[in-house]
Amino acid sequence: MIRVFGWNEFLIIVVAAQWTIALSAIAFAGGSIGGLLMALMRVSEVRAFRRLATGFIRLFQGTPLLMQLFLVYFGMNIFGFAINPWIAAAVALALHASAFLGEIWRGCIEAVPKGQREAATALGLRYYHSMRHVILPQAVRIAVAPTVGFMVQLIKGTSLASIIGFTELTRQGQIINNATFSPFLVFGTVATIYFLLCWPLSLVARRMETRFSRATAR
């Protein structure tokens, strides 16, 4: 029986947004750890580390996120590891984020003027202390805008998790649409929620970038 899209259906979609937020947060947290590791390996003086990180980044940047979700979800089951859609989506998105954040942050680290590294070396700082106290603090300022930009893409990318059965915002919209046959209202609501999630991040990034620019100018 076809239902009418009403207040209850709207609330169900809104509540489903919590799973999109949770999945995005977990993927970004895992991706931040992996991305920092990849970025440091990419700028490492050890050739083996650079090659390993480059291969990892190229693998995940060169394949669609949808395929990565399929491989993690179905691949783990093939090898005898029972994995639910929630864990599979979190792992796949975290690996995906690690590759992209690693390359973004690698570029930000290399964007720091070479004179800063030379000054750190002249002061007798070792690689660890040079990166921690001189290079990374400056790279963070450069990384704010592209990092937030990628986070916006990551939030929208969570919609693909519906393909493996994870019920987040998009999947819940599909379920409600199948019951109400009101695609314009249902997916218009879903799109509006995505916009409300992503737009504030862009504003925050702009304010932080402006603040960092003022601090640098001083």
Side-chain angles (χ1 to χ4, degrees), residues 104-171:
I104 290 171
W105 293 346
R106 187 271 311 166
C108 294
I109 291 172
E110 293 184 344
V112 176
K114 292 183 179 180
Q116 298 293 319
R117 298 177 184 176
E118 294 172 356
T121 302
L123 291 172
L125 295 178
R126 294 184 178 180
Y127 179 81
Y128 171 78
H129 295 288
S130 175
M131 292 296 294
R132 180 180 177 182
H133 299 292
V134 179
I135 306 302
L136 291 182
Q138 297 181 67
V140 166
R141 298 180 178 182
I142 303 172
V144 170
T147 299
V148 175
F150 174 76
M151 190 173 183
V152 171
Q153 296 299 320
L154 187 63
I155 292 174
K156 292 185 288 187
T158 59
S159 62
L160 293 176
S162 62
I163 301 297
I164 60 173
F166 180 66
T167 306
E168 40 66 67
L169 183 57
T170 298
R171 178 58 181 163

Short mmCIF file of all heavy atoms in Angstrom, two decimals, residues 104-171:
data_model
loop_
_atom_site.label_atom_id
_atom_site.label_comp_id
_atom_site.label_asym_id
_atom_site.label_seq_id
_atom_site.Cartn_x
_atom_site.Cartn_y
_atom_site.Cartn_z
N ILE A 104 47.12 14.75 -0.16
CA ILE A 104 46.87 16.17 0.13
C ILE A 104 47.91 16.69 1.11
O ILE A 104 48.52 17.76 0.90
CB ILE A 104 45.45 16.36 0.70
CG1 ILE A 104 44.41 16.11 -0.39
CG2 ILE A 104 45.29 17.76 1.27
CD1 ILE A 104 42.98 16.07 0.14
N TRP A 105 48.12 15.96 2.18
CA TRP A 105 49.05 16.43 3.21
C TRP A 105 50.49 16.34 2.75
O TRP A 105 51.33 17.13 3.19
CB TRP A 105 48.82 15.64 4.50
CG TRP A 105 47.49 15.94 5.12
CD1 TRP A 105 46.67 16.99 4.80
CD2 TRP A 105 46.80 15.21 6.12
NE1 TRP A 105 45.51 16.95 5.55
CE2 TRP A 105 45.56 15.87 6.37
CE3 TRP A 105 47.08 14.05 6.85
CZ2 TRP A 105 44.63 15.42 7.31
CZ3 TRP A 105 46.16 13.59 7.78
CH2 TRP A 105 44.96 14.27 8.02
N ARG A 106 50.80 15.39 1.88
CA ARG A 106 52.14 15.33 1.31
C ARG A 106 52.44 16.61 0.54
O ARG A 106 53.51 17.21 0.68
CB ARG A 106 52.26 14.12 0.40
CG ARG A 106 53.66 13.83 -0.15
CD ARG A 106 53.97 14.55 -1.44
NE ARG A 106 52.92 14.37 -2.43
CZ ARG A 106 52.83 15.11 -3.53
NH1 ARG A 106 53.71 16.07 -3.79
NH2 ARG A 106 51.83 14.90 -4.39
N GLY A 107 51.46 17.06 -0.25
CA GLY A 107 51.64 18.30 -0.99
C GLY A 107 51.78 19.50 -0.07
O GLY A 107 52.56 20.42 -0.35
N CYS A 108 51.04 19.50 1.05
CA CYS A 108 51.13 20.61 2.00
C CYS A 108 52.48 20.64 2.70
O CYS A 108 53.05 21.71 2.95
CB CYS A 108 50.01 20.50 3.03
SG CYS A 108 48.35 20.71 2.33
N ILE A 109 53.01 19.46 3.02
CA ILE A 109 54.33 19.39 3.65
C ILE A 109 55.40 19.91 2.69
O ILE A 109 56.29 20.68 3.08
CB ILE A 109 54.65 17.94 4.08
CG1 ILE A 109 53.74 17.53 5.25
CG2 ILE A 109 56.11 17.80 4.49
CD1 ILE A 109 53.84 16.07 5.63
N GLU A 110 55.30 19.49 1.43
CA GLU A 110 56.30 19.93 0.45
C GLU A 110 56.12 21.39 0.07
O GLU A 110 57.03 21.99 -0.51
CB GLU A 110 56.22 19.04 -0.79
CG GLU A 110 56.65 17.59 -0.52
CD GLU A 110 56.66 16.74 -1.77
OE1 GLU A 110 56.05 17.17 -2.78
OE2 GLU A 110 57.25 15.64 -1.72
N ALA A 111 54.95 21.97 0.37
CA ALA A 111 54.72 23.38 0.07
C ALA A 111 55.42 24.31 1.07
O ALA A 111 55.57 25.50 0.80
CB ALA A 111 53.22 23.69 0.07
N VAL A 112 55.83 23.76 2.20
CA VAL A 112 56.58 24.57 3.17
C VAL A 112 57.93 24.91 2.55
O VAL A 112 58.62 24.03 2.02
CB VAL A 112 56.78 23.79 4.49
CG1 VAL A 112 57.65 24.57 5.46
CG2 VAL A 112 55.43 23.48 5.12
N PRO A 113 58.33 26.18 2.57
CA PRO A 113 59.60 26.58 1.93
C PRO A 113 60.78 25.74 2.41
O PRO A 113 60.88 25.41 3.60
CB PRO A 113 59.75 28.04 2.36
CG PRO A 113 58.35 28.51 2.60
CD PRO A 113 57.63 27.32 3.15
N LYS A 114 61.66 25.40 1.46
CA LYS A 114 62.82 24.57 1.81
C LYS A 114 63.73 25.27 2.81
O LYS A 114 64.46 24.61 3.55
CB LYS A 114 63.62 24.25 0.54
CG LYS A 114 62.87 23.32 -0.41
CD LYS A 114 63.73 22.97 -1.62
CE LYS A 114 62.98 22.02 -2.56
NZ LYS A 114 63.79 21.66 -3.75
N GLY A 115 63.66 26.59 2.83
CA GLY A 115 64.49 27.34 3.77
C GLY A 115 64.17 26.99 5.22
O GLY A 115 65.06 27.05 6.09
N GLN A 116 62.92 26.61 5.47
CA GLN A 116 62.54 26.21 6.83
C GLN A 116 63.24 24.93 7.25
O GLN A 116 63.71 24.80 8.39
CB GLN A 116 61.02 26.03 6.90
CG GLN A 116 60.22 27.28 6.60
CD GLN A 116 60.41 28.34 7.65
OE1 GLN A 116 60.46 28.05 8.84
NE2 GLN A 116 60.54 29.59 7.23
N ARG A 117 63.35 23.99 6.34
CA ARG A 117 64.05 22.73 6.64
C ARG A 117 65.54 22.97 6.81
O ARG A 117 66.18 22.38 7.69
CB ARG A 117 63.80 21.73 5.52
CG ARG A 117 62.33 21.36 5.35
CD ARG A 117 62.12 20.43 4.19
NE ARG A 117 60.70 20.17 3.99
CZ ARG A 117 60.20 19.46 3.01
NH1 ARG A 117 61.02 18.91 2.13
NH2 ARG A 117 58.90 19.28 2.91
N GLU A 118 66.07 23.83 5.95
CA GLU A 118 67.49 24.13 6.06
C GLU A 118 67.80 24.82 7.37
O GLU A 118 68.84 24.56 8.00
CB GLU A 118 67.91 25.00 4.87
CG GLU A 118 67.81 24.29 3.53
CD GLU A 118 68.04 25.23 2.35
OE1 GLU A 118 68.19 26.44 2.60
OE2 GLU A 118 68.07 24.74 1.21
N ALA A 119 66.89 25.70 7.81
CA ALA A 119 67.08 26.39 9.09
C ALA A 119 67.02 25.40 10.25
O ALA A 119 67.81 25.49 11.20
CB ALA A 119 66.02 27.47 9.26
N ALA A 120 66.07 24.44 10.16
CA ALA A 120 65.96 23.43 11.21
C ALA A 120 67.22 22.57 11.27
O ALA A 120 67.71 22.23 12.35
CB ALA A 120 64.74 22.56 10.95
N THR A 121 67.76 22.23 10.10
CA THR A 121 68.99 21.45 10.04
C THR A 121 70.17 22.23 10.61
O THR A 121 71.00 21.69 11.34
CB THR A 121 69.30 21.04 8.58
OG1 THR A 121 68.19 20.30 8.06
CG2 THR A 121 70.55 20.18 8.52
N ALA A 122 70.20 23.52 10.30
CA ALA A 122 71.28 24.37 10.81
C ALA A 122 71.24 24.49 12.33
O ALA A 122 72.28 24.65 12.97
CB ALA A 122 71.17 25.76 10.18
N LEU A 123 70.03 24.39 12.88
CA LEU A 123 69.88 24.45 14.34
C LEU A 123 70.17 23.11 15.01
O LEU A 123 70.12 23.00 16.24
CB LEU A 123 68.46 24.90 14.70
CG LEU A 123 68.11 26.35 14.36
CD1 LEU A 123 66.63 26.61 14.60
CD2 LEU A 123 68.96 27.31 15.21
N GLY A 124 70.46 22.10 14.19
CA GLY A 124 70.81 20.79 14.74
C GLY A 124 69.61 19.92 15.07
O GLY A 124 69.76 18.93 15.81
N LEU A 125 68.44 20.26 14.55
CA LEU A 125 67.25 19.46 14.82
C LEU A 125 67.26 18.19 13.97
O LEU A 125 67.56 18.23 12.78
CB LEU A 125 65.98 20.27 14.52
CG LEU A 125 65.73 21.50 15.39
CD1 LEU A 125 64.46 22.21 14.94
CD2 LEU A 125 65.61 21.11 16.86
N ARG A 126 66.91 17.09 14.60
CA ARG A 126 66.80 15.84 13.86
C ARG A 126 65.50 15.82 13.08
O ARG A 126 64.64 16.69 13.23
CB ARG A 126 66.87 14.65 14.82
CG ARG A 126 68.23 14.52 15.51
CD ARG A 126 68.29 13.28 16.36
NE ARG A 126 69.60 13.11 16.97
CZ ARG A 126 69.94 12.10 17.76
NH1 ARG A 126 69.04 11.14 18.02
NH2 ARG A 126 71.15 12.02 18.29
N TYR A 127 65.34 14.76 12.25
CA TYR A 127 64.17 14.69 11.36
C TYR A 127 62.86 14.76 12.14
O TYR A 127 61.97 15.52 11.79
CB TYR A 127 64.23 13.39 10.55
CG TYR A 127 63.04 13.20 9.62
CD1 TYR A 127 63.00 13.83 8.38
CD2 TYR A 127 61.97 12.39 9.99
CE1 TYR A 127 61.92 13.66 7.53
CE2 TYR A 127 60.89 12.21 9.15
CZ TYR A 127 60.87 12.85 7.93
OH TYR A 127 59.79 12.68 7.09
N TYR A 128 62.75 13.99 13.23
CA TYR A 128 61.52 13.95 14.00
C TYR A 128 61.18 15.33 14.57
O TYR A 128 60.05 15.82 14.45
CB TYR A 128 61.65 12.94 15.13
CG TYR A 128 60.51 12.99 16.12
CD1 TYR A 128 59.26 12.41 15.81
CD2 TYR A 128 60.66 13.60 17.36
CE1 TYR A 128 58.21 12.46 16.72
CE2 TYR A 128 59.62 13.65 18.27
CZ TYR A 128 58.40 13.08 17.95
OH TYR A 128 57.36 13.14 18.84
N HIS A 129 62.16 15.96 15.21
CA HIS A 129 61.92 17.27 15.82
C HIS A 129 61.71 18.35 14.77
O HIS A 129 60.93 19.29 14.97
CB HIS A 129 63.09 17.63 16.73
CG HIS A 129 63.24 16.71 17.91
ND1 HIS A 129 62.38 16.72 18.98
CD2 HIS A 129 64.15 15.74 18.17
CE1 HIS A 129 62.74 15.82 19.86
NE2 HIS A 129 63.81 15.19 19.40
N SER A 130 62.37 18.21 13.64
CA SER A 130 62.18 19.16 12.55
C SER A 130 60.77 19.10 12.01
O SER A 130 60.11 20.14 11.79
CB SER A 130 63.19 18.88 11.43
OG SER A 130 62.95 19.72 10.32
N MET A 131 60.26 17.90 11.81
CA MET A 131 58.90 17.74 11.31
C MET A 131 57.88 18.21 12.34
O MET A 131 56.90 18.89 12.01
CB MET A 131 58.63 16.28 10.94
CG MET A 131 59.42 15.78 9.74
SD MET A 131 58.98 16.62 8.20
CE MET A 131 57.29 16.07 7.99
N ARG A 132 58.11 17.85 13.60
CA ARG A 132 57.13 18.15 14.64
C ARG A 132 57.05 19.64 14.97
O ARG A 132 55.96 20.19 15.14
CB ARG A 132 57.46 17.36 15.90
CG ARG A 132 56.49 17.62 17.05
CD ARG A 132 56.88 16.82 18.28
NE ARG A 132 55.98 17.13 19.39
CZ ARG A 132 56.10 16.61 20.61
NH1 ARG A 132 57.09 15.76 20.88
NH2 ARG A 132 55.24 16.95 21.56
N HIS A 133 58.18 20.30 15.06
CA HIS A 133 58.20 21.67 15.56
C HIS A 133 58.31 22.74 14.46
O HIS A 133 58.01 23.90 14.72
CB HIS A 133 59.37 21.85 16.54
CG HIS A 133 59.28 20.97 17.75
ND1 HIS A 133 58.32 21.13 18.73
CD2 HIS A 133 60.03 19.91 18.14
CE1 HIS A 133 58.48 20.23 19.68
NE2 HIS A 133 59.51 19.45 19.34
N VAL A 134 58.73 22.33 13.27
CA VAL A 134 58.96 23.34 12.22
C VAL A 134 58.06 23.11 11.00
O VAL A 134 57.30 24.01 10.61
CB VAL A 134 60.44 23.34 11.78
CG1 VAL A 134 60.67 24.38 10.67
CG2 VAL A 134 61.36 23.62 12.97
N ILE A 135 58.11 21.93 10.42
CA ILE A 135 57.43 21.69 9.15
C ILE A 135 55.92 21.49 9.31
O ILE A 135 55.11 22.16 8.68
CB ILE A 135 58.05 20.46 8.43
CG1 ILE A 135 59.56 20.64 8.27
CG2 ILE A 135 57.38 20.27 7.07
CD1 ILE A 135 59.97 21.87 7.51
N LEU A 136 55.53 20.54 10.16
CA LEU A 136 54.10 20.20 10.29
C LEU A 136 53.23 21.37 10.77
O LEU A 136 52.12 21.54 10.26
CB LEU A 136 53.93 18.99 11.21
CG LEU A 136 54.43 17.66 10.64
CD1 LEU A 136 54.17 16.52 11.62
CD2 LEU A 136 53.76 17.35 9.30
N PRO A 137 53.66 22.18 11.74
CA PRO A 137 52.82 23.32 12.13
C PRO A 137 52.51 24.27 10.97
O PRO A 137 51.41 24.82 10.90
CB PRO A 137 53.64 24.01 13.21
CG PRO A 137 54.48 22.92 13.80
CD PRO A 137 54.83 22.05 12.64
N GLN A 138 53.47 24.45 10.08
CA GLN A 138 53.23 25.32 8.92
C GLN A 138 52.38 24.61 7.87
O GLN A 138 51.55 25.22 7.21
CB GLN A 138 54.57 25.75 8.32
CG GLN A 138 55.42 26.57 9.26
CD GLN A 138 56.73 27.01 8.63
OE1 GLN A 138 56.74 27.81 7.70
NE2 GLN A 138 57.84 26.47 9.13
N ALA A 139 52.60 23.29 7.74
CA ALA A 139 51.82 22.52 6.76
C ALA A 139 50.35 22.46 7.15
O ALA A 139 49.47 22.42 6.28
CB ALA A 139 52.39 21.11 6.63
N VAL A 140 50.07 22.47 8.45
CA VAL A 140 48.68 22.41 8.92
C VAL A 140 47.88 23.60 8.40
O VAL A 140 46.73 23.47 7.99
CB VAL A 140 48.63 22.35 10.46
CG1 VAL A 140 47.22 22.63 10.97
CG2 VAL A 140 49.10 20.98 10.95
N ARG A 141 48.49 24.78 8.43
CA ARG A 141 47.80 25.97 7.95
C ARG A 141 47.46 25.85 6.46
O ARG A 141 46.38 26.25 6.03
CB ARG A 141 48.67 27.21 8.18
CG ARG A 141 48.97 27.48 9.64
CD ARG A 141 49.83 28.72 9.81
NE ARG A 141 50.08 29.00 11.23
CZ ARG A 141 50.77 30.04 11.67
NH1 ARG A 141 51.28 30.89 10.80
NH2 ARG A 141 50.95 30.21 12.96
N ILE A 142 48.36 25.29 5.70
CA ILE A 142 48.13 25.13 4.27
C ILE A 142 47.07 24.06 4.02
O ILE A 142 46.30 24.13 3.05
CB ILE A 142 49.45 24.75 3.56
CG1 ILE A 142 50.52 25.80 3.83
CG2 ILE A 142 49.24 24.58 2.06
CD1 ILE A 142 51.90 25.41 3.34
N ALA A 143 46.99 23.07 4.91
CA ALA A 143 46.14 21.89 4.68
C ALA A 143 44.68 22.11 5.05
O ALA A 143 43.85 21.28 4.70
CB ALA A 143 46.70 20.71 5.46
N VAL A 144 44.37 23.19 5.76
CA VAL A 144 43.00 23.36 6.28
C VAL A 144 41.96 23.30 5.17
O VAL A 144 41.02 22.50 5.21
CB VAL A 144 42.86 24.68 7.06
CG1 VAL A 144 41.40 24.96 7.37
CG2 VAL A 144 43.66 24.61 8.34
N ALA A 145 42.10 24.16 4.17
CA ALA A 145 41.08 24.25 3.11
C ALA A 145 40.93 22.94 2.33
O ALA A 145 39.81 22.43 2.18
CB ALA A 145 41.39 25.41 2.18
N PRO A 146 42.02 22.35 1.80
CA PRO A 146 41.83 21.10 1.05
C PRO A 146 41.35 19.94 1.90
O PRO A 146 40.63 19.07 1.41
CB PRO A 146 43.23 20.82 0.47
CG PRO A 146 44.17 21.58 1.32
CD PRO A 146 43.43 22.79 1.75
N THR A 147 41.71 19.92 3.18
CA THR A 147 41.26 18.85 4.06
C THR A 147 39.75 18.92 4.28
O THR A 147 39.04 17.92 4.19
CB THR A 147 41.98 18.91 5.41
OG1 THR A 147 43.39 18.75 5.20
CG2 THR A 147 41.49 17.80 6.34
N VAL A 148 39.26 20.13 4.56
CA VAL A 148 37.81 20.30 4.74
C VAL A 148 37.08 20.03 3.43
O VAL A 148 36.00 19.43 3.42
CB VAL A 148 37.48 21.70 5.27
CG1 VAL A 148 35.97 21.92 5.35
CG2 VAL A 148 38.10 21.90 6.64
N GLY A 149 37.68 20.43 2.31
CA GLY A 149 37.09 20.15 1.01
C GLY A 149 36.94 18.66 0.77
O GLY A 149 35.91 18.19 0.27
N PHE A 150 37.97 17.90 1.16
CA PHE A 150 37.87 16.44 1.01
C PHE A 150 36.85 15.87 1.97
O PHE A 150 36.15 14.90 1.63
CB PHE A 150 39.22 15.78 1.24
CG PHE A 150 39.14 14.28 1.22
CD1 PHE A 150 39.01 13.59 0.03
CD2 PHE A 150 39.15 13.55 2.41
CE1 PHE A 150 38.90 12.20 0.00
CE2 PHE A 150 39.05 12.18 2.40
CZ PHE A 150 38.93 11.50 1.20
N MET A 151 36.74 16.43 3.17
CA MET A 151 35.76 15.93 4.13
C MET A 151 34.34 16.08 3.60
O MET A 151 33.49 15.22 3.82
CB MET A 151 35.90 16.68 5.46
CG MET A 151 35.08 16.06 6.58
SD MET A 151 35.41 16.84 8.18
CE MET A 151 34.37 15.84 9.25
N VAL A 152 34.09 17.18 2.88
CA VAL A 152 32.79 17.36 2.24
C VAL A 152 32.54 16.26 1.22
O VAL A 152 31.44 15.67 1.16
CB VAL A 152 32.71 18.74 1.57
CG1 VAL A 152 31.45 18.86 0.72
CG2 VAL A 152 32.72 19.86 2.62
N GLN A 153 33.55 15.93 0.44
CA GLN A 153 33.42 14.85 -0.53
C GLN A 153 33.23 13.50 0.16
O GLN A 153 32.49 12.63 -0.33
CB GLN A 153 34.68 14.79 -1.42
CG GLN A 153 34.89 16.02 -2.27
CD GLN A 153 33.76 16.26 -3.23
OE1 GLN A 153 33.22 15.33 -3.83
NE2 GLN A 153 33.37 17.52 -3.39
N LEU A 154 33.86 13.32 1.31
CA LEU A 154 33.73 12.07 2.05
C LEU A 154 32.31 11.89 2.58
O LEU A 154 31.76 10.79 2.53
CB LEU A 154 34.73 12.05 3.21
CG LEU A 154 34.85 10.74 4.00
CD1 LEU A 154 35.38 9.63 3.09
CD2 LEU A 154 35.79 10.93 5.19
N ILE A 155 31.71 12.98 3.07
CA ILE A 155 30.33 12.91 3.55
C ILE A 155 29.40 12.48 2.42
O ILE A 155 28.54 11.61 2.61
CB ILE A 155 29.89 14.27 4.14
CG1 ILE A 155 30.66 14.56 5.43
CG2 ILE A 155 28.39 14.28 4.41
CD1 ILE A 155 30.41 15.94 5.99
N LYS A 156 29.59 13.08 1.26
CA LYS A 156 28.74 12.70 0.13
C LYS A 156 29.06 11.29 -0.36
O LYS A 156 28.17 10.59 -0.85
CB LYS A 156 28.93 13.72 -1.00
CG LYS A 156 28.37 15.10 -0.66
CD LYS A 156 28.44 16.07 -1.83
CE LYS A 156 29.85 16.51 -2.12
NZ LYS A 156 29.89 17.58 -3.16
N GLY A 157 30.31 10.87 -0.20
CA GLY A 157 30.70 9.53 -0.61
C GLY A 157 30.09 8.43 0.23
O GLY A 157 29.98 7.28 -0.22
N THR A 158 29.67 8.76 1.46
CA THR A 158 29.04 7.75 2.31
C THR A 158 27.74 7.23 1.71
O THR A 158 27.26 6.17 2.10
CB THR A 158 28.75 8.31 3.71
OG1 THR A 158 27.89 9.46 3.61
CG2 THR A 158 30.03 8.70 4.43
N SER A 159 27.17 7.98 0.77
CA SER A 159 25.92 7.54 0.14
C SER A 159 26.10 6.22 -0.60
O SER A 159 25.14 5.46 -0.77
CB SER A 159 25.40 8.61 -0.83
OG SER A 159 26.33 8.84 -1.87
N LEU A 160 27.34 5.93 -1.03
CA LEU A 160 27.59 4.67 -1.75
C LEU A 160 27.52 3.46 -0.83
O LEU A 160 27.41 2.33 -1.30
CB LEU A 160 28.96 4.74 -2.42
CG LEU A 160 29.11 5.74 -3.57
CD1 LEU A 160 30.54 5.77 -4.07
CD2 LEU A 160 28.15 5.40 -4.71
N ALA A 161 27.59 3.69 0.49
CA ALA A 161 27.51 2.58 1.43
C ALA A 161 26.15 1.89 1.37
O ALA A 161 26.01 0.75 1.81
CB ALA A 161 27.79 3.06 2.85
N SER A 162 25.16 2.57 0.82
CA SER A 162 23.83 1.96 0.68
C SER A 162 23.86 0.76 -0.25
O SER A 162 23.02 -0.14 -0.14
CB SER A 162 22.83 3.00 0.16
OG SER A 162 23.20 3.47 -1.13
N ILE A 163 24.85 0.72 -1.15
CA ILE A 163 24.94 -0.38 -2.12
C ILE A 163 25.22 -1.71 -1.43
O ILE A 163 24.78 -2.77 -1.89
CB ILE A 163 26.04 -0.07 -3.16
CG1 ILE A 163 25.72 1.23 -3.90
CG2 ILE A 163 26.18 -1.21 -4.15
CD1 ILE A 163 24.45 1.19 -4.71
N ILE A 164 25.95 -1.69 -0.31
CA ILE A 164 26.27 -2.94 0.39
C ILE A 164 25.31 -3.18 1.55
O ILE A 164 25.57 -4.04 2.40
CB ILE A 164 27.73 -2.94 0.88
CG1 ILE A 164 28.00 -1.79 1.86
CG2 ILE A 164 28.69 -2.90 -0.29
CD1 ILE A 164 29.37 -1.85 2.51
N GLY A 165 24.22 -2.41 1.61
CA GLY A 165 23.18 -2.68 2.59
C GLY A 165 23.24 -1.87 3.86
O GLY A 165 22.47 -2.14 4.80
N PHE A 166 24.14 -0.88 3.94
CA PHE A 166 24.20 -0.04 5.14
C PHE A 166 23.13 1.04 5.04
O PHE A 166 23.08 1.79 4.08
CB PHE A 166 25.59 0.59 5.28
CG PHE A 166 25.72 1.47 6.49
CD1 PHE A 166 25.64 0.92 7.76
CD2 PHE A 166 25.90 2.83 6.36
CE1 PHE A 166 25.76 1.73 8.89
CE2 PHE A 166 26.02 3.64 7.47
CZ PHE A 166 25.95 3.08 8.75
N THR A 167 22.28 1.11 6.05
CA THR A 167 21.16 2.05 6.02
C THR A 167 21.56 3.40 6.58
O THR A 167 21.49 3.64 7.79
CB THR A 167 19.95 1.49 6.80
OG1 THR A 167 19.63 0.19 6.31
CG2 THR A 167 18.74 2.39 6.64
N GLU A 168 22.03 4.26 5.71
CA GLU A 168 22.33 5.63 6.08
C GLU A 168 21.32 6.55 5.41
O GLU A 168 20.22 6.10 5.09
CB GLU A 168 23.78 5.99 5.74
CG GLU A 168 24.29 5.45 4.42
CD GLU A 168 23.60 6.05 3.23
OE1 GLU A 168 23.78 7.25 2.98
OE2 GLU A 168 22.87 5.31 2.54
N LEU A 169 21.65 7.79 5.20
CA LEU A 169 20.70 8.78 4.72
C LEU A 169 20.13 8.42 3.35
O LEU A 169 18.91 8.43 3.14
CB LEU A 169 21.38 10.16 4.67
CG LEU A 169 20.53 11.34 4.24
CD1 LEU A 169 19.31 11.49 5.13
CD2 LEU A 169 21.37 12.63 4.27
N THR A 170 20.99 8.09 2.41
CA THR A 170 20.53 7.77 1.05
C THR A 170 19.70 6.49 1.03
O THR A 170 18.65 6.43 0.37
CB THR A 170 21.73 7.63 0.10
OG1 THR A 170 22.44 8.87 0.05
CG2 THR A 170 21.27 7.25 -1.30
N ARG A 171 20.17 5.47 1.73
CA ARG A 171 19.43 4.20 1.76
C ARG A 171 18.06 4.38 2.39
O ARG A 171 17.07 3.82 1.91
CB ARG A 171 20.25 3.15 2.53
CG ARG A 171 19.56 1.79 2.67
CD ARG A 171 19.22 1.20 1.32
NE ARG A 171 18.55 -0.08 1.45
CZ ARG A 171 17.86 -0.66 0.48
NH1 ARG A 171 17.75 -0.07 -0.70
NH2 ARG A 171 17.28 -1.82 0.68
#
